């Protein structure tokens, strides 16, 4: 973990290893080198999803797939994604060191662009792998930093010449992902293992409010059509109405731009993102409808126009009861307390659940902090998570085909 945390390290103790960046490529390079040094096979597909393979007795059987992602938020923590990917690699090495023979192969995966912060949407690699999106639609994408998705993807693929290319959607016997909870409940209840039964739904909206640019000093109230006034009123109204009324609802504005963005010019337009989440699909629909209604009303009150575009829609998912029970049995066999829970964050397992029996293991993180450079997981929780992952992986690999 420490060596990976140095890749893209930020002064405040976090990481900036955004998808398909030099930092992401360096982390993938290191994982590939570690894998080759152990004699494991290394593969990647057209979305640069990276696979490390340990053969079983029967190479034709679909692998048990374990892993997560290596890309991070711009001011991310050391553990989001990396802990799951590196714990999976640790499990593969332990199985090798213990000379445990499995019938089918076991593979570790590092999915491309789980975060979606540089290139939206998120979970691109696992979405493409599961056949839920065509990567051709992303080729013309430009990142938040102006980078070309196509160029960065090509550079990332080219950076691992030792990785054998493989088609999308190779069969998977089962998928298991370990991740930090990114919330406070396990730590608060002093429970070391979360058994994740599903993921809530997520939607990303892009709202554009357009008015009339004008002089900050000479334009009196009566002559203003100020989209920033509309945006502030809309967001205040939504933040007062949505989350206080429904403890399960989530509404987040993470990105806001004004154009032309000059200190002494009334903006011509204001563009902002809204991330909404809810476990109940009908509630997600009603929250989106309320966002649209409030933005349109507040825009109209300032003689502005309003456009709301849905840029990402990830329906909720329920994980495999078999894999969930296998995780619970593994935790019990290690005398580790566990509790079932639904994930508030989206994860690659959400799309793997469409093509293979899948589930997740959560471990506590300090104060529930994540997407924050202070993100931290205690060593004993890292160890417990990896031990449960090892037992669960072996049990899944021993299940009859
Ligand atoms: O936003 C999410 O839920 C994930 O952590 N990227
Ligand atoms: Mn993550
Ligand atoms: Mn994340």
């Amino acid at each position: 973990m420490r060596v990976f945390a140095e890749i893209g390290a930020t002064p405040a103790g976090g990481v900036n290893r955004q998808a398909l960046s030099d930092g992401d490529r360096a982390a993938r390079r290191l994982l590939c080198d570690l894998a080759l040094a152990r004699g494991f096979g290394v593969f990647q597909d057209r979305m640069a999803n990276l696979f490390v393979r340990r053969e079983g007795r029967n190479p034709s059987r679909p692998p048990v797939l374990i892993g997560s992602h290596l890309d991070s938020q711009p001011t991310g923590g050391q553990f989001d994604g990396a802990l799951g990917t590196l714990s999976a690699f640790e499990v593969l090495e332990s199985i090798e060191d213990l000379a445990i023979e499995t019938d089918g192969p076991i593979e570790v995966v590092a999915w491309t662009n789980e975060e979606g912060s540089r290139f939206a949407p998120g979970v691109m690699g696992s979405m493409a792998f599961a056949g839920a999106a065509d990567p051709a639609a992303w080729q013309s994408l430009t990142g938040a930093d102006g980078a070309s998705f196509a160029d960065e993807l090509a550079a990332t693929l080219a950076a691992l010449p030792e990785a054998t290319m493989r088609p999308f959607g190779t069969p998977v016997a089962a998928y298991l992902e370990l991740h930090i909870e990114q919330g406070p409940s396990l730590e608060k209840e002093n429970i070391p293992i979360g058994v994740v039964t599903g993921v809530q739904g997520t939607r990303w909206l892009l709202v554009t409010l357009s008015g009339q640019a004008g002089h900050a000093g000479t334009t009196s109230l009566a002559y203003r059509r100020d989209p920033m006034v509309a945006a502030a009123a809309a967001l205040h109204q939504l933040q007062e109405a949505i989350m206080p009324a429904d403890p399960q609802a989530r509404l987040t504005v993470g990105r806001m731009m004004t154009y032309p963005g000059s200190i002494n010019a009334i903006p011509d337009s204001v563009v902002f993102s809204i991330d909404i989440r809810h476990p109940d699909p009908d509630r997600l629909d009603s929250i989106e409808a309320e966002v649209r209604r409030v933005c349109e009303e507040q825009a109209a009150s300032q003689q502005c126009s309003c456009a709301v575009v849905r840029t990402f829609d990830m329906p909720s998912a329920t994980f495999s009861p078999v894999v969930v029970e296998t995780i619970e049995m593994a935790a019990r066999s290690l005398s580790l307390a566990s509790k079932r829970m639904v994930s508030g964050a989206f994860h690659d397992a959400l799309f793997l659940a469409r093509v293979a029996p899948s589930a997740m293991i959560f471990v506590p993180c300090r104060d529930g902090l994540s997407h924050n450079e202070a993100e931290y997981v205690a060593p004993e929780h890292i160890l417990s998570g990896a031990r449960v992952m090892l037992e669960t992986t072996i049990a899944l690999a021993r299940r009859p085909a």
Side-chain angles (χ1 to χ4, degrees), residues 79-400:
F79 301 88
D80 177 359
L83 181 66
T85 307
L86 301 180
S87 297
F89 187 71
E90 185 71 31
V91 162
L92 203 66
E93 287 195 292
S94 303
I95 290 174
E96 180 76 358
D97 294 341
L98 296 166
I100 293 173
E101 256 221 310
T102 57
D103 189 40
I106 296 174
E107 292 191 356
V108 169
V109 60
W111 297 110
T112 297
N113 191 24
E114 186 279 341
E115 294 292 356
S117 55
R118 184 187 190 201
F119 297 107
V123 284
M124 268 188 181
S126 52
M127 208 186 323
F129 180 89
D134 176 359
W138 300 323
Q139 295 312 307
S140 57
L141 268 181
T142 302
D145 57 359
S148 152
F149 173 81
D151 294 350
E152 292 288 65
L153 176 61
T156 303
L157 287 167
L160 293 185
E162 305 91 330
T164 308
M165 290 306 290
R166 65 162 47 162
F168 275 143
T170 43
V172 172
Y175 177 70
L176 180 64
E177 180 168 354
L178 180 143
H179 206 285
I180 58 171
E181 181 197 345
Q182 299 180 300
S185 65
L186 288 174
E187 182 186 55
K188 210 157 58 181
E189 298 173 49
N190 196 23
I191 296 177
I193 297 293
V195 183
V196 187
T197 57
V199 183
Q200 68 176 343
T202 297
R203 258 180 221 157
W204 288 356
L205 306 174
L206 198 66
V207 181
T208 302
L209 304 182
S210 304
Q212 183 178 59
H215 195 294
T218 57
T219 312
S220 66
L221 195 55
Y223 288 87
R224 288 187 179 220
R225 289 172 46 223
D226 187 344
M228 182 53 90
V229 172
L235 291 179
H236 177 68
Q237 188 177 342
L238 288 168
Q239 279 151 352
E240 289 287 293
I242 303 287
M243 288 182 68
D246 179 349
Q248 288 188 297
R250 300 287 182 271
L251 181 139
T252 309
V253 178
R255 188 177 281 167
M256 177 176 264
M257 290 79 71
T258 65
Y259 299 96
S262 163
I263 292 176
N264 51 356
I266 300 166
D268 173 66
S269 61
V270 173
V271 181
F272 53 91
S273 63
I274 298 190
D275 175 315
I276 54 177
R277 315 242 178 153
H278 205 285
D280 174 348
D282 295 337
R283 280 288 298 131
L284 203 55
D285 286 340
S286 58
I287 292 168
E288 179 176 354
E290 192 162 355
V291 167
R292 289 175 179 275
R293 181 182 61 76
V294 169
C295 289
E296 281 155 11
E297 283 175 4
Q298 292 297 353
S301 74
Q302 299 301 322
Q303 294 82 50
C304 292
S305 64
C306 170
V308 181
V309 177
R310 191 195 287 177
T311 58
F312 192 26
D313 180 19
M314 232 176 358
S316 57
T318 302
F319 289 146
S320 151
V322 168
V323 183
V324 165
E325 283 151 25
T326 309
I327 297 170
E328 275 176 332
M329 285 190 303
R332 220 173 2 254
S333 72
L334 296 166
S335 309
L336 289 166
S338 69
K339 80 160 193 172
R340 292 191 175 201
M341 55 201 299
V342 171
S343 173
F346 61 73
H347 297 285
D348 294 299
L350 192 143
F351 281 100
L352 267 289
R354 296 190 184 187
V355 294
S358 304
M360 294 181 73
I361 300 166
F362 272 175
V363 293
C365 51
R366 187 175 55 200
D367 303 332
L369 261 186
S370 183
H371 288 193
N372 181 308
E373 293 166 291
E375 187 181 90
Y376 177 76
V377 182
E380 66 268 24
H381 292 317
I382 293 177
L383 181 62
S384 300
R387 292 176 66 206
V388 170
M389 185 176 220
L390 175 64
E391 296 303 322
T392 308
T393 302
I394 293 169
L396 291 173
R398 284 184 170 150
R399 288 180 60 79

Side-chain angles (χ1 to χ4, degrees), residues 53 55-62 102-105:
R53 180 182 173 97
E55 286 302 346
R57 280 187 296 272
N58 179 351
S60 65
R61 267 193 67 172
T102 57
D103 189 40

